[in-house]
Amino acid sequence: MAAAFAITSCGDPNESAQTPAEALLDRLAGLVEEGKIMYGHQDDLMYGHSWKLADDATEYVQSDVYATCGQYPAVYGLDLGGIELGNKANLDNNIFDHMRASVVAHHERGGIVTFSWHPRNPLTGGDAWDVSSDQVVASILPGGEKHEYFMGWLKNAADFLESIKTADGETVPVIWRPWHEHTGSWFWWGQKLCTTEQYKALWQMTYDYMVEERGLDNLVWSYSPGAGELSSPEVYAERYPGDEIVDMVGFDCYFYSTREDYMNKMKNALDITVAFAKEHGKIAAVTETGYEGIKDPKWWTEVLYETLKDYPVSYVLTWRNACDAHMQHHFYGPFPEHESAEDFKAFAALEDVMLL
Ligand code: BMA
């Protein structure tokens, strides 16, 4: 059952009670059943390796993935970092109004959207990576000195997620993936920065506010530890916030050294995640992955696809293609001039790989 289904309908009992989140979950389950793996790319419609959306843009058609293979990614990832402060643009300079409008455009093309969140540090004022204090989660939980302040941040995030509507007023469902990579200790909500109880309480507080208090019915809740720390299924399960408030389970896993190292790390995380998903009745996904700079011309078919092909995962999302001059090395998706472009086309053309 969708976690978001906690909302009960008071309307006509004959009316369909399916929420936008439930409709999305059904669609995800159906695609997994068909054996499809959707390809996803972070920030795909906002910028690419050598272009950036104009501030006054009114349509969202440019995409490195589309330029490479003639199809859009099925899954479009975005990040809410910066919404907490009421900023006009997120931490990677994407204007929130463009993010919202591009999500609607992607949804209307038949695509699926996922949001992560790299919020700033509510205790120190630093960024999401500021791990100078291990009291941050404690400070924002009920009774903590920053609780009220942080609830304002949740309100800003909820306001944005609730505001994503089509011209007909239909709220667009999204996969919502807060508090990610918590098995590592590089974000203020990470492993060494809070206790298991505090981490779970953070999830519960987030869910209670957004779903129970605000009534958001368009969120599919996704849990995603970092793959590098998954030494056992117990580690995966340790901080799992609970079946009632999670709909999807995944992990984030990056390529750092060799094909073998990456494939082993992926297969270990896939084994653990897919078994966990089965046991808990959830949908599995590779919520983030990639090889920075893709220094392997056959990475898509011989490494990524080869690793994934036998697992029932809903989607695999590669991280962003940064466009800033000093970040030209920071790309994880294809673009036409890259040496892996031909291989990406072959990957995108595979029967079980889905793009739009
Ligand atoms: C990281 C990097 C950063 C970026 C952050 C949030 O992995 O790509 O440059 O700011 O994600 O998108």
Side-chain angles (χ1 to χ4, degrees):
M1 183 168 93
F5 199 41
I7 306 295
T8 48
S9 164
C10 309
D12 179 352
N14 297 322
E15 221 174 77
S16 157
Q18 205 178 40
T19 64
E22 287 191 324
L24 173 53
L25 260 182
D26 273 4
R27 184 168 171 220
L28 291 167
L31 289 167
V32 174
E33 190 74 18
E34 281 175 46
K36 297 286 185 202
I37 302 179
M38 291 185 282
Y39 171 69
H41 186 218
Q42 187 74 4
D43 286 350
D44 189 72
L45 301 171
M46 293 285 102
Y47 55 82
H49 185 249
S50 57
W51 61 275
K52 182 157 174 53
L53 187 76
D55 285 3
D56 61 355
T58 52
E59 52 176 15
Y60 306 94
V61 289
Q62 196 165 358
S63 150
D64 277 354
V65 172
Y66 187 87
T68 307
C69 73
Q71 287 186 288
Y72 287 101
V75 175
Y76 174 33
L78 286 166
D79 195 275
L80 279 188
I83 199 81
E84 64 279 4
L85 300 180
N87 293 348
K88 186 174 173 228
N90 86 345
L91 77 172
D92 299 315
N93 301 316
N94 299 330
I95 296 174
F96 282 110
D97 286 344
H98 281 317
M99 286 168 60
R100 182 191 299 105
S102 66
V103 164
V104 174
H106 182 72
H107 170 75
E108 289 179 339
R109 249 176 229 149
I112 289 171
V113 175
T114 177
F115 275 95
S116 51
W117 190 20
H118 289 81
R120 296 189 64 87
N121 185 316
L123 184 61
T124 66
D127 61 22
W129 294 265
D130 177 355
V131 290
S132 58
S133 165
D134 62 5
Q135 293 303 310
V136 187
V137 175
S139 79
I140 61 175
L141 290 174
E145 60 176 295
K146 291 288 181 185
H147 178 65
E148 291 307 321
Y149 177 64
F150 183 74
M151 292 312 283
W153 285 16
L154 280 186
K155 176 181 185 306
N156 289 350
D159 286 350
F160 182 84
L161 293 167
E162 190 180 44
S163 74
I164 312 170
K165 293 185 195 299
T166 64
D168 301 340
E170 174 211 346
T171 308
V172 176
V174 301
I175 298 168
W176 168 231
R177 190 171 68 89
W179 316 128
H180 66 304
E181 298 178 12
H182 65 282
T183 47
S185 298
W186 46 85
F187 296 131
W188 56 256
W189 55 90
Q191 181 76 21
K192 294 199 180 112
L193 290 309
C194 59
T195 65
T196 296
E197 288 63 39
Q198 286 167 342
Y199 179 77
K200 288 186 181 178
L202 175 61
W203 257 86
Q204 191 70 50
M205 182 173 85
T206 307
Y207 180 89
D208 286 349
Y209 174 72
M210 291 189 169
V211 178
E212 308 296 349
E213 192 171 330
R214 293 289 302 272
L216 266 67
D217 62 1
N218 62 323
L219 307 180
V220 164
W221 293 74
S222 170
Y223 171 75
S224 63
E229 298 74 44
L230 296 179
S231 52
S232 70
E234 288 70 37
V235 175
Y236 193 92
E238 189 196 330
R239 295 190 172 197
Y240 179 65
D243 283 344
E244 302 72 25
I245 65 172
V246 173
D247 300 305
M248 291 189 76
V249 294
F251 61 86
D252 293 1
C253 182
Y254 284 90
F255 185 109
Y256 291 117
S257 56
T258 61
R259 281 186 171 195
E260 193 191 2
D261 171 73
Y262 172 78
M263 290 169 94
N264 286 340
K265 196 165 53 161
M266 282 284 281
K267 286 191 170 173
N268 172 61
L270 283 160
D271 285 339
I272 291 174
T273 305
V274 164
F276 189 92
K278 195 167 175 210
E279 195 184 320
H280 293 256
K282 306 295 175 188
I283 291 169
V286 182
T287 44
E288 280 183 39
T289 194
Y291 180 3
E292 187 182 54
I294 325 173
K295 297 176 193 96
D296 181 337
K298 293 277 188 186
W299 194 74
W300 301 100
T301 56
E302 292 185 9
V303 184
L304 184 63
Y305 181 70
E306 196 52 37
T307 312
L308 283 179
K309 65 180 197 289
D310 297 325
Y311 291 95
V313 293
S314 160
Y315 73 88
V316 56
L317 179 137
T318 56
W319 205 240
R320 65 200 198 97
N321 286 4
C323 62
D324 319 65
H326 67 288
M327 295 282 275
Q328 287 291 293
H329 62 284
H330 192 61
F331 62 87
Y332 300 84
F335 55 90
E337 306 77 36
H338 189 260
E339 61 168 359
S340 75
E342 279 308 310
D343 192 53
F344 183 82
K345 278 200 232 175
F347 166 76
L350 289 164
E351 183 68 34
D352 47 349
V353 173
M354 181 177 152
L355 288 88
L356 297 178

PDB file of all heavy atoms in Angstrom, residues 254-262 265 291 295-296:
ATOM      1  N   TYR A 254      28.595   4.949  -6.942  1.00  0.00           N
ATOM      2  CA  TYR A 254      29.428   5.570  -7.979  1.00  0.00           C
ATOM      3  C   TYR A 254      30.641   4.724  -8.353  1.00  0.00           C
ATOM      4  O   TYR A 254      31.122   3.919  -7.558  1.00  0.00           O
ATOM      5  CB  TYR A 254      29.851   6.972  -7.520  1.00  0.00           C
ATOM      6  CG  TYR A 254      28.701   7.940  -7.658  1.00  0.00           C
ATOM      7  CD1 TYR A 254      27.801   8.143  -6.608  1.00  0.00           C
ATOM      8  CD2 TYR A 254      28.471   8.596  -8.855  1.00  0.00           C
ATOM      9  CE1 TYR A 254      26.716   9.001  -6.754  1.00  0.00           C
ATOM     10  CE2 TYR A 254      27.386   9.454  -9.012  1.00  0.00           C
ATOM     11  CZ  TYR A 254      26.518   9.652  -7.969  1.00  0.00           C
ATOM     12  OH  TYR A 254      25.441  10.483  -8.125  1.00  0.00           O
ATOM     13  N   PHE A 255      31.102   4.958  -9.580  1.00  0.00           N
ATOM     14  CA  PHE A 255      32.303   4.304 -10.106  1.00  0.00           C
ATOM     15  C   PHE A 255      33.513   5.133  -9.667  1.00  0.00           C
ATOM     16  O   PHE A 255      33.583   6.325  -9.931  1.00  0.00           O
ATOM     17  CB  PHE A 255      32.214   4.295 -11.640  1.00  0.00           C
ATOM     18  CG  PHE A 255      33.309   3.545 -12.340  1.00  0.00           C
ATOM     19  CD1 PHE A 255      33.050   2.338 -12.971  1.00  0.00           C
ATOM     20  CD2 PHE A 255      34.598   4.066 -12.405  1.00  0.00           C
ATOM     21  CE1 PHE A 255      34.052   1.658 -13.657  1.00  0.00           C
ATOM     22  CE2 PHE A 255      35.608   3.384 -13.074  1.00  0.00           C
ATOM     23  CZ  PHE A 255      35.340   2.182 -13.694  1.00  0.00           C
ATOM     24  N   TYR A 256      34.477   4.504  -8.996  1.00  0.00           N
ATOM     25  CA  TYR A 256      35.664   5.249  -8.572  1.00  0.00           C
ATOM     26  C   TYR A 256      36.978   4.694  -9.095  1.00  0.00           C
ATOM     27  O   TYR A 256      37.938   5.427  -9.218  1.00  0.00           O
ATOM     28  CB  TYR A 256      35.756   5.314  -7.041  1.00  0.00           C
ATOM     29  CG  TYR A 256      34.685   6.172  -6.419  1.00  0.00           C
ATOM     30  CD1 TYR A 256      33.737   5.623  -5.558  1.00  0.00           C
ATOM     31  CD2 TYR A 256      34.614   7.536  -6.706  1.00  0.00           C
ATOM     32  CE1 TYR A 256      32.744   6.418  -4.998  1.00  0.00           C
ATOM     33  CE2 TYR A 256      33.624   8.338  -6.151  1.00  0.00           C
ATOM     34  CZ  TYR A 256      32.691   7.770  -5.291  1.00  0.00           C
ATOM     35  OH  TYR A 256      31.719   8.546  -4.747  1.00  0.00           O
ATOM     36  N   SER A 257      37.041   3.356  -9.363  1.00  0.00           N
ATOM     37  CA  SER A 257      38.366   2.852  -9.751  1.00  0.00           C
ATOM     38  C   SER A 257      38.334   1.946 -10.973  1.00  0.00           C
ATOM     39  O   SER A 257      38.758   2.352 -12.059  1.00  0.00           O
ATOM     40  CB  SER A 257      39.029   2.161  -8.562  1.00  0.00           C
ATOM     41  OG  SER A 257      38.203   1.133  -8.068  1.00  0.00           O
ATOM     42  N   THR A 258      37.822   0.740 -10.829  1.00  0.00           N
ATOM     43  CA  THR A 258      37.846  -0.201 -11.954  1.00  0.00           C
ATOM     44  C   THR A 258      36.443  -0.742 -12.226  1.00  0.00           C
ATOM     45  O   THR A 258      35.563  -0.669 -11.368  1.00  0.00           O
ATOM     46  CB  THR A 258      38.737  -1.424 -11.622  1.00  0.00           C
ATOM     47  OG1 THR A 258      38.167  -2.082 -10.481  1.00  0.00           O
ATOM     48  CG2 THR A 258      40.163  -1.007 -11.318  1.00  0.00           C
ATOM     49  N   ARG A 259      36.297  -1.325 -13.422  1.00  0.00           N
ATOM     50  CA  ARG A 259      35.026  -1.975 -13.766  1.00  0.00           C
ATOM     51  C   ARG A 259      34.663  -3.005 -12.704  1.00  0.00           C
ATOM     52  O   ARG A 259      33.519  -3.059 -12.236  1.00  0.00           O
ATOM     53  CB  ARG A 259      35.163  -2.704 -15.116  1.00  0.00           C
ATOM     54  CG  ARG A 259      35.063  -1.823 -16.335  1.00  0.00           C
ATOM     55  CD  ARG A 259      35.069  -2.688 -17.584  1.00  0.00           C
ATOM     56  NE  ARG A 259      34.765  -1.908 -18.787  1.00  0.00           N
ATOM     57  CZ  ARG A 259      34.423  -2.451 -19.949  1.00  0.00           C
ATOM     58  NH1 ARG A 259      34.355  -3.767 -20.097  1.00  0.00           N
ATOM     59  NH2 ARG A 259      34.147  -1.693 -20.986  1.00  0.00           N
ATOM     60  N   GLU A 260      35.646  -3.799 -12.346  1.00  0.00           N
ATOM     61  CA  GLU A 260      35.384  -4.894 -11.415  1.00  0.00           C
ATOM     62  C   GLU A 260      34.915  -4.381 -10.048  1.00  0.00           C
ATOM     63  O   GLU A 260      33.945  -4.877  -9.471  1.00  0.00           O
ATOM     64  CB  GLU A 260      36.658  -5.730 -11.266  1.00  0.00           C
ATOM     65  CG  GLU A 260      36.408  -7.041 -10.588  1.00  0.00           C
ATOM     66  CD  GLU A 260      37.694  -7.757 -10.194  1.00  0.00           C
ATOM     67  OE1 GLU A 260      38.799  -7.216 -10.419  1.00  0.00           O
ATOM     68  OE2 GLU A 260      37.576  -8.851  -9.631  1.00  0.00           O
ATOM     69  N   ASP A 261      35.611  -3.369  -9.567  1.00  0.00           N
ATOM     70  CA  ASP A 261      35.263  -2.796  -8.269  1.00  0.00           C
ATOM     71  C   ASP A 261      33.828  -2.263  -8.284  1.00  0.00           C
ATOM     72  O   ASP A 261      33.024  -2.531  -7.390  1.00  0.00           O
ATOM     73  CB  ASP A 261      36.263  -1.677  -7.947  1.00  0.00           C
ATOM     74  CG  ASP A 261      35.859  -0.890  -6.721  1.00  0.00           C
ATOM     75  OD1 ASP A 261      35.994  -1.449  -5.618  1.00  0.00           O
ATOM     76  OD2 ASP A 261      35.389   0.254  -6.853  1.00  0.00           O
ATOM     77  N   TYR A 262      33.496  -1.506  -9.340  1.00  0.00           N
ATOM     78  CA  TYR A 262      32.153  -0.926  -9.454  1.00  0.00           C
ATOM     79  C   TYR A 262      31.092  -2.021  -9.578  1.00  0.00           C
ATOM     80  O   TYR A 262      30.065  -1.998  -8.898  1.00  0.00           O
ATOM     81  CB  TYR A 262      32.104   0.003 -10.661  1.00  0.00           C
ATOM     82  CG  TYR A 262      30.725   0.524 -10.995  1.00  0.00           C
ATOM     83  CD1 TYR A 262      30.156   1.569 -10.267  1.00  0.00           C
ATOM     84  CD2 TYR A 262      29.985  -0.013 -12.054  1.00  0.00           C
ATOM     85  CE1 TYR A 262      28.889   2.054 -10.574  1.00  0.00           C
ATOM     86  CE2 TYR A 262      28.730   0.471 -12.377  1.00  0.00           C
ATOM     87  CZ  TYR A 262      28.181   1.504 -11.635  1.00  0.00           C
ATOM     88  OH  TYR A 262      26.926   1.979 -11.941  1.00  0.00           O
ATOM     89  N   LYS A 265      30.514  -3.771  -6.313  1.00  0.00           N
ATOM     90  CA  LYS A 265      29.802  -2.917  -5.355  1.00  0.00           C
ATOM     91  C   LYS A 265      28.326  -2.806  -5.746  1.00  0.00           C
ATOM     92  O   LYS A 265      27.430  -2.873  -4.908  1.00  0.00           O
ATOM     93  CB  LYS A 265      30.477  -1.537  -5.355  1.00  0.00           C
ATOM     94  CG  LYS A 265      30.139  -0.673  -4.181  1.00  0.00           C
ATOM     95  CD  LYS A 265      31.102   0.519  -4.054  1.00  0.00           C
ATOM     96  CE  LYS A 265      31.205   1.316  -5.355  1.00  0.00           C
ATOM     97  NZ  LYS A 265      31.741   2.663  -5.192  1.00  0.00           N
ATOM     98  N   TYR A 291      29.791   7.409 -13.529  1.00  0.00           N
ATOM     99  CA  TYR A 291      31.245   7.414 -13.583  1.00  0.00           C
ATOM    100  C   TYR A 291      31.599   8.834 -14.012  1.00  0.00           C
ATOM    101  O   TYR A 291      31.314   9.235 -15.146  1.00  0.00           O
ATOM    102  CB  TYR A 291      31.687   6.371 -14.624  1.00  0.00           C
ATOM    103  CG  TYR A 291      33.165   6.208 -14.854  1.00  0.00           C
ATOM    104  CD1 TYR A 291      34.124   6.916 -14.130  1.00  0.00           C
ATOM    105  CD2 TYR A 291      33.606   5.312 -15.822  1.00  0.00           C
ATOM    106  CE1 TYR A 291      35.475   6.738 -14.371  1.00  0.00           C
ATOM    107  CE2 TYR A 291      34.960   5.125 -16.070  1.00  0.00           C
ATOM    108  CZ  TYR A 291      35.893   5.853 -15.342  1.00  0.00           C
ATOM    109  OH  TYR A 291      37.227   5.675 -15.591  1.00  0.00           O
ATOM    110  N   LYS A 295      35.139   7.603 -18.383  1.00  0.00           N
ATOM    111  CA  LYS A 295      36.410   7.329 -19.091  1.00  0.00           C
ATOM    112  C   LYS A 295      36.475   5.872 -19.545  1.00  0.00           C
ATOM    113  O   LYS A 295      37.431   5.140 -19.237  1.00  0.00           O
ATOM    114  CB  LYS A 295      37.580   7.687 -18.169  1.00  0.00           C
ATOM    115  CG  LYS A 295      37.603   9.182 -17.820  1.00  0.00           C
ATOM    116  CD  LYS A 295      38.709   9.507 -16.841  1.00  0.00           C
ATOM    117  CE  LYS A 295      38.539  10.887 -16.246  1.00  0.00           C
ATOM    118  NZ  LYS A 295      37.874  10.886 -14.947  1.00  0.00           N
ATOM    119  N   ASP A 296      35.411   5.448 -20.195  1.00  0.00           N
ATOM    120  CA  ASP A 296      35.293   4.070 -20.684  1.00  0.00           C
ATOM    121  C   ASP A 296      34.254   4.119 -21.801  1.00  0.00           C
ATOM    122  O   ASP A 296      33.059   4.302 -21.545  1.00  0.00           O
ATOM    123  CB  ASP A 296      34.808   3.172 -19.522  1.00  0.00           C
ATOM    124  CG  ASP A 296      34.677   1.712 -19.908  1.00  0.00           C
ATOM    125  OD1 ASP A 296      34.526   1.416 -21.110  1.00  0.00           O
ATOM    126  OD2 ASP A 296      34.706   0.870 -18.996  1.00  0.00           O
TER     127      ASP A 296
END
